[in-house]
Structure formats: C-alpha cells, structure tokens
C-alpha cells in the first residue's frame, strides 16, 4: 500500500466498535480521508460466521475463515487505529468510549477512554443460555472461532474415549451421542456437518464405532427453521431422516449435565438422555455493553431485543431511518445484531447496514466541508462574487442534508443441511423461489465463496475443500 495520510486533529473522530459483519463492511467501503477512524474490538479479525460449523468438524481450517482487520485498514487513505480491546462503557452525553484490554497479555495501560464525534456501535450479540443450569459449564457454543475449535476437540475426544479398551456398550453409546440444541440455521448446519464427517471420514477411520454414532437435534418449537418456507422445512426434515439425524421438536432442554441432557418432552414429562457432546445453538442475547448503553437512554431505548434505531425522529435533519440510535443527538449509529429492527439478525442485514453507513459518512463529510466554507464566506467581507458562492453552497447544502434512509435488499436465505445438500429461499420476481438439493449446495458454496471478503480467504477456503476431497478430514486431536 502507498503512504497513508496521518492522524489529523482537525478532522472528526469516528470510533467503530466491533470487527464483525457490520463493522467490516463499513470499513471496506469507508473513505477515511475526512475522518480519524479508531476501530475497537476484542478480536483483531473478521470472522466469516456462515462457514464456522465447517471448522467444527475440520472441513475448513480455522484460519481460512478469518481476516485480520488490518488487512482492510492498511489500504485506507488515512491511517486507521485498530485497537484490540472490549468497549466497557459508552457515554452518549459526553461522547466517550471506555475500553479495556481483555486479552491474556496486557501492557501498562489496560483501560482507557477516547472521545468521539461519531460512533458506530456494531458489537453484535452473545450466546443466550436462558440461565438454564449447566449450559455455560457443559455445552459447546457455535458463535466464535474458539467455540468451533473447542467443539472439534471435544468431538474427537469423545471418539477416542469411546475407542478406549474395556468401555461398556452403554458408555460407548453415551460418548457417541451428539446432541445439538436449537433448530435454527446454526443447529441445522452443525448437525449436517457432523453427519458429513461421520459418513465421509469416520466410517473409515473408526469402523468399529461409526454405527454407534448418533446425532439428535432438539428444538422447543413445533418445527425447525421457522424463517424458511414450509416446503424447505419438509425437505430438511426428510433429508435429516434419511441421514438418520433424529429431530425432537416441541422438546425443551431443561438442564445440561456433564454426561447427559435433561429434556422436557412434548407431553411435559422430564427425561434424562446420556450424551458425550452438547452443542448449544439456541439463539442470542444482547451484550452487557449494549444493555448498559440502552439503560442510559431509558425513554427511547425500551425494546428488550436491542437498540432502537427507527421509529423515533430525533432531529429534523436526522430522521431515524439513518440507523441513528434513538435518544441520542445523532452522533451514535447502531448496526447489526445489537439492534432491534424489522429485519432478522443476519450477516446480510449487518453488512448492508455497514456499507450504507459508509455512504452516510461520505455525505456527512461533504456537508461539513460545505458548512465550513459557508462560515468562512459569511465572515469575510461580502462581495458580489462571495454572495453568489454563498447561494450556490446553500443550495448544495440542502442537497447534502438530505440523507437517504436505509433500505434492506433481501438476497435470499441459504443454509447447508449436510449430505451435499443446501436449501435456498430466494426472492424471485416478487415471489419466492424455494430450492433444495445438490445444485443448491453448489450454489451455496459458490455464493459463500464469492461473499468471502478477500481473495486470500477465497483461496484458503477453496484449497481446504479440495484437500478434504482428496485426503479426508483431519482426525488428530490437537491442543
Ligand atoms: P458480529 O459479526 O457478531 O460482530 C460483532 C463484533 O463486535 C465482533 O468483532 C466482536 O468481537 C466485537 N465485540 C464484541 N464485544 C465487543 C465490545 N465490548 N467492544 C467492542 N467490540 C466488541 N447470517 C447470514 O446472513 N447468513 C448466514 O449464513 C449466517 N450463518 C451464521 C452461522 C453461524 C454459526 C452464526 C453464529 C451466525 C450466522 N449468521 C449468518 C448470522 C451472522 O453471523 C450475524 O447476524 C452477524 O455476525 C451480525 O453482524 P454484527 O456485525 O452485528 O455482529
Ligand atoms: P435462532 O435463534 O435462529 O434459533 C435458536 C433455536 O433454538 C430456536 O428455534 C429456539 O426455539 C430454540 N431453542 C431455544 N431454547 C431452547 C431450549 N431450551 N431447548 C430447545 N430448543 C431451544 O439461532 P441461530 O440458529 O443461531 O441463528 C441466529 C441468527 O443467525 C438468525 O437470525 C439466523 O437467521 C442467522 N443465521 C443464519 C444462517 C443462514 O442463513 N444460513 C445460519 C446461521 C445463523
């Protein structure tokens, strides 16, 4: 990259919280010429979540689906500060963010505060456990990279422990019973990936155990994948049936013990089912930093699902559709999973919101420079020429003040369901086009490959797929 412009105290400070789908999409498109940008995130990388379940069974290498945030920021016109830290507090009145180094190694300063002119709040969400006993202690999650790595280790450890000589048949069956909680897309994809691992690799690596491996998906609602059309729900259920993945609907997990799950069955009876591994994919909740920020604006932030960015006009010039946080003076924007909007909390929505904000910031910069010029002209001795320029700029300013509202364009829903099959609900000529099967799987792979942000990641993922086809998945139990 060429030389970047240095930090400029004359420019406004734009603080971005997070390095996920929303924040990364913003950073990709943002013109940093007019801003001093500071990115604060406990992860110094972007995680491509749709392929996370593939990491959990070793189809993909963990590093193939992450991209250091500095890969994006180093190409920017003005230097961007990337700080590996967690925001702990946002003060919307004094416009400050306090953040802490929460990593293992810390320097002399582990906590500090910065001032912002604009803040983009894109911290995502965290796993919802509903305070169900044992979830935190005994289950694996599927949210962060380390969750997928942990699941892979536990899964392989269950296999090796089952292969340990002298186990009773009962204990072997327990260790080889994998329970996935949550029939949303995450739970479905994890179950599908475990199934593929079993059929494509474990049958040859562990022939004596393979027939005893069981996968059970537990869902509290009457059906899985409520966001997909009925036809695709049926298709998924029949594919799972063929794949011998048991789906228990109307069944609620009440407790997770070290060696079992406690279930409430549809007839409300309680049963305890032995298992070796539990993957918890039962949805998300707000992070503490988000809850705390909302609590500072109790009049406007009353939605328990997340930050309200629409519905309340905050300022005549800044209508709420511009993703500005309700109750603030318009300097805080919120995007992605931490918000409560009419859209589903998906990567598709967050990334479109990020790209939209990049356009808004370009327009705000233009407005600011017009305003500055206007002030300059107005304070200078007036001449005819000056008056003409003032009029022109005033007209340009009216245009620059008009910010287009955010509009979401739904590209369709896609999910991998295992057995080289995927399902897709695509908006098609104002109707819906539902498709499932192997062709959809190829579409799924190519769609995800093309949405991966960098050529580097595309190459890594494609290479991993080829490696697995040629050599199978790695079953060595690394640390
Ligand atoms: P995130 O991408 O979660 O990013 C949040 C960022 O904030 C992270 O970088 C995090 O480290 C950072 N952060 C956390 N705490 C703090 C803090 N205190 N201070 C500063 N930064 C902080 N959606 C789809 O549309 N299609 C899919 O196929 C799909 N598949 C998925 C598969 C899985 C396994 C999962 C878990 C999710 C999937 N999703 C999918 C949903 C999608 O990942 C989320 O909707 C998306 O990540 C939301 O983007 P975000 O920017 O709001 O949050
Ligand atoms: P989710 O909220 O969509 O699904 C969680 C499921 O767990 C729900 O159906 C809920 O009824 C069930 N559940 C909750 N508590 C339970 C309990 N105690 N016992 C049994 N079942 C219980 O969560 P998700 O699948 O992680 O998805 C989160 C978001 O990410 C969604 O917006 C989703 O669309 C998106 N996502 C999309 C894709 C994709 O498009 N391929 C993949 C993954 C995630």
């Amino acid at each position: 990259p060429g030389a970047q412009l240095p930090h400029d105290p004359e420019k406004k400070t734009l603080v971005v919280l997070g390095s996920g789908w929303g924040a990364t999409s913003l950073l990709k498109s943002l013109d940093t010429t007019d801003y001093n940008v500071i990115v604060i995130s406990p992860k110094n990388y972007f995680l491509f979540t749709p392929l996370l379940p593939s990491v959990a069974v070793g189809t993909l290498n963990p590093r193939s689906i992450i991209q250091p945030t500095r890969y994006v920021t180093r190409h920017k016109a003005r230097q961007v500060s990337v700080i590996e830290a967690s925001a702990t507090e946002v003060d919307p009145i004094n416009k400050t963010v306090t953040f802490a180094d929460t990593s293992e190694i810390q320097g002399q300063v582990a906590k500090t505060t910065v001032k912002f002119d604009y803040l983009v709040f894109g911290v995502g969400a965290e796993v919802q456990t509903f305070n169900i006993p044992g979830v935190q202690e005994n289950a694996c999650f599927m949210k962060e990279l380390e969750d997928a790595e942990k699941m892979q280790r536990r899964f392989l450890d269950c296999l090796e422990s089952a292969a340990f000589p002298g186990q009773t048949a009962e204990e072997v069956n327990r260790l080889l019973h994998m329970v996935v909680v949550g029939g949303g897309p995450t739970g479905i994809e994890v179950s599908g990936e475990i199934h593929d691992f079993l059929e494509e690799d474990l049958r040859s690596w562990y022939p004596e155990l393979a027939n005893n491996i069981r996968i059970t998906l537990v869902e509290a609602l009457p059906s899985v994948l409520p966001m997909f059309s009925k036809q695709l729900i049926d298709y998924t259920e029949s594919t799972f049936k063929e794949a011998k993945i048991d789906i228990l609907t109307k069944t609620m997990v009440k407790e997770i013990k070290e060696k079992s799950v406690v279930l409430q069955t549809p007839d409300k009876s309680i049963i305890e089912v032995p298992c070796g591994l539990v993957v918890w994919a039962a949805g998300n909740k707000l992070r503490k930093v988000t809850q705390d920020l909302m609590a500072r604006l109790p009049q406007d932030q009353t939605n328990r699902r997340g930050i309200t960015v629409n519905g309340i006009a905050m300022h005549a010039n800044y209508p709420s559709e511009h993703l500005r946080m309700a109750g603030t003076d318009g300097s805080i924007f919120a995007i992605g999973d931490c918000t409560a909007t009419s859209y589903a909390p998906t990567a598709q929505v967050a990334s479109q919101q990020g790209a939209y904000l990049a356009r808004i910031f370009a327009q705000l910069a233009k407005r600011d420079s017009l305003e500055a010029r206007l002030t300059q002209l107005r304070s200078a001795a007036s001449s005819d020429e000056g008056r003409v320029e003032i009029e022109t700029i005033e007209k340009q300013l009216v245009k620059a003040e008009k910010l287009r509202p955010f509009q979401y364009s739904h590209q369709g829903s896609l999910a991998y369901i295992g057995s080289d099959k995927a399902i897709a609900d695509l908006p098609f000529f104002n109707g819906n086009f539902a498709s499932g099967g192997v062709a959809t799987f190829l579409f799924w792979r190519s769609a995800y490959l093309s949405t991966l942000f960098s050529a580097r990641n595309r190459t890594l993922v494609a290479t991993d797929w080829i490696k697995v086809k040629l050599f199978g998945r790695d079953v060595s139990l690394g640390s």
Side-chain angles (χ1 to χ4, degrees):
Q4 290 182 303
L5 298 166
H7 174 96
D8 179 352
E10 295 291 305
K11 303 283 178 195
K12 288 193 168 162
T13 300
L14 165 58
V15 174
V16 180
L17 298 187
S19 56
W21 275 98
T24 304
S25 167
L26 163 69
L27 289 172
K28 273 248 157 187
S29 318
L30 185 70
D31 181 351
T32 59
T33 314
D34 290 303
Y35 297 98
N36 294 308
V37 181
I38 303 174
V39 185
I40 299 170
S41 175
K43 303 281 153 69
N44 73 347
Y45 57 81
F46 162 73
L47 168 68
F48 190 82
T49 48
L51 293 176
L52 192 61
S54 300
V55 169
V57 296
T59 313
L60 295 177
N61 194 313
R63 298 216 158 245
S64 302
I65 64 161
I66 61 175
Q67 182 192 38
T69 300
R70 286 182 170 81
Y71 271 57
V72 180
T73 58
R74 69 184 172 156
H75 294 295
K76 293 285 137 182
R78 186 178 301 285
Q79 273 169 13
V80 173
S81 307
V82 179
I83 304 172
E84 190 209 35
S86 288
T88 52
E89 200 184 331
V90 174
D91 182 338
I93 310 294
N94 296 310
K95 299 190 188 168
T96 58
V97 177
T98 302
F99 52 93
D101 184 349
T102 44
S103 65
E104 253 174 59
I105 296 175
Q106 293 175 356
Q108 228 173 6
V109 181
K111 194 169 191 172
T112 188
T113 300
V114 284
K115 254 189 111 49
F116 62 82
D117 295 294
Y118 294 119
L119 176 74
V120 175
F121 196 84
V123 302
E126 64 182 41
V127 173
Q128 171 67 282
T129 65
F130 304 100
N131 290 326
I132 293 175
V135 175
Q136 199 75 47
E137 301 81 353
N138 300 318
C140 292
F141 298 150
M142 194 49 57
K143 185 84 174 71
E144 307 291 345
L145 194 61
E146 51 273 21
D147 297 333
E149 293 177 298
K150 181 174 160 187
M151 181 196 136
Q152 187 186 24
R153 272 196 311 277
R154 282 216 190 169
F155 183 89
L156 294 172
D157 209 356
C158 282
L159 292 177
E160 294 302 350
S161 298
F164 194 91
Q167 308 292 344
T168 62
E170 213 177 19
E171 183 64 351
V172 168
N173 285 335
R174 176 188 77 79
L175 286 163
L176 299 180
H177 185 202
M178 314 298 167
V179 175
V180 179
V181 187
T186 304
I188 292 286
E189 289 184 340
V190 170
S191 310
E193 293 279 357
I194 298 177
H195 164 267
D196 288 2
F197 190 21
L198 166 64
E199 291 306 323
E200 291 165 17
D201 300 286
L202 301 179
R203 283 207 185 283
S204 41
W205 298 126
Y206 299 85
E208 71 289 5
L209 298 178
N211 282 336
N212 300 54
I213 299 177
R214 280 194 306 137
I215 310 164
T216 304
L217 179 78
V218 183
E219 169 55 56
L221 298 174
S223 101
V224 295
L225 295 176
M227 64 289 285
F228 281 87
S229 56
K230 171 89 178 70
Q231 184 191 345
L232 290 178
I233 294 175
D234 292 346
Y235 182 76
T236 305
E237 285 180 351
S238 69
T239 304
F240 270 31
K241 201 167 183 182
E242 257 172 57
K244 299 203 169 62
I245 302 171
D246 290 328
I247 301 184
L248 304 179
T249 51
K250 296 186 194 159
T251 305
M252 201 183 278
V253 171
K254 288 291 189 187
E255 185 176 353
I256 301 181
K257 298 188 179 175
E258 211 187 317
K259 297 183 176 185
S260 64
V261 279
V262 178
L263 305 178
Q264 180 183 292
T265 61
D267 64 8
K268 303 275 182 253
S269 53
I270 301 287
I271 54 168
E272 191 167 337
V273 181
C275 58
L277 173 81
V278 181
V279 185
W280 184 260
N284 296 327
K285 67 167 187 187
L286 295 180
R287 290 188 192 280
K288 185 170 182 299
V289 65
T290 312
Q291 290 170 11
D292 291 349
L293 172 58
M294 289 171 67
R296 284 173 176 254
L297 306 160
Q299 299 229 301
D300 300 274
Q301 296 296 335
T302 51
N303 192 328
R304 289 178 58 193
R305 277 198 305 123
I307 295 175
T308 300
V309 289
N310 48 13
I312 299 162
M314 287 152 278
H315 184 289
N317 286 330
Y318 309 137
S320 48
E321 297 83 13
H322 303 126
L323 308 179
R324 294 181 197 252
M325 183 172 182
T328 66
D329 65 354
S331 55
I332 303 183
F333 296 80
I335 51 177
D337 283 7
C338 61
T339 62
T341 64
S342 50
Y343 316 114
T346 63
Q348 228 184 110
V349 170
S351 64
Q352 287 185 29
Q353 290 176 330
Y356 164 82
L357 280 192
R359 295 196 291 276
I360 291 292
F361 283 117
Q363 207 174 333
L364 291 176
K366 190 173 172 196
R367 186 201 65 187
D368 288 351
S369 77
L370 287 171
E371 261 174 3
R373 178 75 186 135
L374 206 56
T375 316
Q376 204 181 26
L377 286 170
R378 280 179 181 150
S379 62
S382 62
S383 65
D384 283 349
E385 262 171 47
R387 270 192 295 278
V388 172
E389 195 180 346
I390 286 178
E391 265 175 40
T392 319
I393 292 183
E394 277 173 348
K395 276 185 199 149
Q396 287 175 343
L397 201 53
V398 172
K399 259 194 183 169
E401 290 275 12
K402 283 199 183 117
L403 305 177
R404 276 180 187 219
F406 171 70
Q407 263 181 334
Y408 173 59
S409 146
H410 186 58
Q411 306 294 305
S413 306
L414 263 178
Y416 182 58
I417 59 170
S419 319
D420 285 354
K421 288 176 183 167
I423 51 170
D425 256 335
L426 304 171
F428 207 61
F429 298 119
N430 291 331
N432 246 12
F433 173 70
S435 97
V438 179
T440 317
F441 165 67
L442 295 174
F443 173 69
W444 174 81
R445 278 205 161 174
S446 58
Y448 281 176
L449 209 52
S450 61
T451 18
L452 271 166
F453 279 147
S454 70
R456 170 184 163 274
N457 287 99
R458 277 194 280 276
T459 312
L460 293 175
V461 167
T463 315
D464 286 348
W465 281 336
I466 294 167
K467 273 197 291 198
V468 163
K469 235 348 152 252
L470 293 177
F471 309 113
R473 294 168 181 83
D474 190 348
V475 291
S476 40
L477 191 51
S479 62

